Amino acid sequence: EAGVAQSPRYKIIEKRQSVAFWCNPISGHATLYWYQQILGQGPKLLIQFQNNGVVDDSQLPKDRFSAERLKGVDSTLKIQPAKLEDSAVYLCASSLGQGGVTQYFGPGTRLLVL
Amino acid sequence: RKEVEQDPGPFNVPEGATVAFNCTYSNSASQSFFWYRQDCRKEPKLLMSVYSSGNEDGRFTAQLNRASQYISLLIRDSKLSDSATYLCVVDSSGNTPLVFGKGTRLSVIA
């Protein structure tokens, strides 16, 4: 079974530039998550989708971050404009349902903002 | 008090040793508990769920203490391949997001 796919794997940009990340979840998984993991920290949830609807985006910095999952399958996360403190690994995960179910993570996109 | 707290370590142990990690959580309404493992520069992967009665999977044993609001992970007969960061994960209730701890780093030394 194919896992969660993410691209790109690495990205280096300058502050104030824009960047977008793509995620394709495991086939059939209705729930998709975007996490930010700063070095030395655990993953922090940015946004959770159930199909194409947003379940939780309370920790998403909405002035610069946006995400969509228009057809309820793959998703994009955008940062515009980027700040130095956005340097982190952006992890996408998916699960069959919500709540206390196993989440399967993609390999992540490592972002460096200079 | 942070939602999920872990000792960051590192725990440096010799091969064959037994090591235990604890994790405390602040929300008494939390219902689901997990341990995830994260290798260096890799994504987190589920190691095991934690059940109220405690559960064991090979060399790994997880325990839950609701009264004191902590969960533990015990690794027996440590292997070099156990070297990783172990993330404590708590689900407050129903459809709320999982909360990850910062992780405890384990290094098993030959």
Side-chain angles (χ1 to χ4, degrees), chain B residues 26-84:
Chain B
S26 61
N27 188 342
S28 59
S30 298
Q31 296 183 356
S32 302
F33 309 89
F34 309 89
W35 284 102
Y36 275 70
R37 170 193 170 132
Q38 187 170 26
D39 291 291
C40 188
R41 302 179 75 85
K42 298 286 189 180
E43 69 273 22
K45 291 183 180 179
L46 179 68
L47 177 66
M48 58 197 305
S49 301
V50 187
Y51 303 120
S52 296
S53 56
N55 48 301
E56 187 174 311
D57 182 3
R59 298 181 294 107
F60 298 83
T61 300
Q63 296 277 354
L64 167 63
N65 185 319
R66 286 190 183 274
S68 301
Q69 293 181 210
Y70 79 82
I71 66 174
S72 63
L73 177 67
L74 181 78
I75 306 175
R76 291 182 299 277
D77 188 23
S78 299
K79 311 290 185 191
L80 294 175
S81 56
D82 294 335
S83 297

Side-chain angles (χ1 to χ4, degrees), chain A residues 85-97:
Chain A
E85 59 262 34
D86 297 333
S87 295
V89 177
Y90 291 84
L91 294 161
C92 179
S94 70
S95 63
L96 277 172

Side-chain angles (χ1 to χ4, degrees), chain A residues 35 37 41-43 45 48 56 91 98-100 102-103 105-107 110, chain B residues 32 34 36 38 41 43-44 46 87 91 94-98 100-102:
Chain A
Y35 289 88
Q37 186 173 25
Q41 307 281 321
L45 181 71
Q48 177 182 340
D56 189 303
L91 294 161
Q98 301 184 63
T102 302
Q103 295 185 18
F105 285 82
R110 193 171 298 271
Chain B
S32 302
F34 309 89
Y36 275 70
Q38 187 170 26
R41 302 179 75 85
E43 69 273 22
L46 179 68
L87 298 163
D91 170 28
N95 297 327
T96 58
L98 296 181
F100 285 75
K102 291 185 178 181

Side-chain angles (χ1 to χ4, degrees), chain A residues 27-110:
Chain A
S27 178
H29 281 194
T31 310
L32 183 148
Y33 316 78
W34 282 103
Y35 289 88
Q36 179 193 59
Q37 186 173 25
I38 292 172
L39 189 64
Q41 307 281 321
K44 183 184 84 170
L45 181 71
L46 294 176
I47 189 167
Q48 177 182 340
F49 292 96
Q50 178 70 12
N51 296 309
N52 61 352
V54 176
V55 174
D56 189 303
D57 63 357
S58 57
Q59 298 190 99
L60 186 73
K62 297 180 185 64
D63 57 333
R64 297 183 303 105
F65 286 64
S66 64
E68 60 183 18
R69 194 186 184 199
L70 294 176
K71 296 183 179 178
V73 181
D74 56 349
S75 175
T76 56
L77 175 70
K78 296 180 181 178
I79 308 175
Q80 179 179 11
K83 292 186 175 182
L84 297 177
E85 59 262 34
D86 297 333
S87 295
V89 177
Y90 291 84
L91 294 161
C92 179
S94 70
S95 63
L96 277 172
Q98 301 184 63
V101 296
T102 302
Q103 295 185 18
Y104 298 86
F105 285 82
T109 296
R110 193 171 298 271

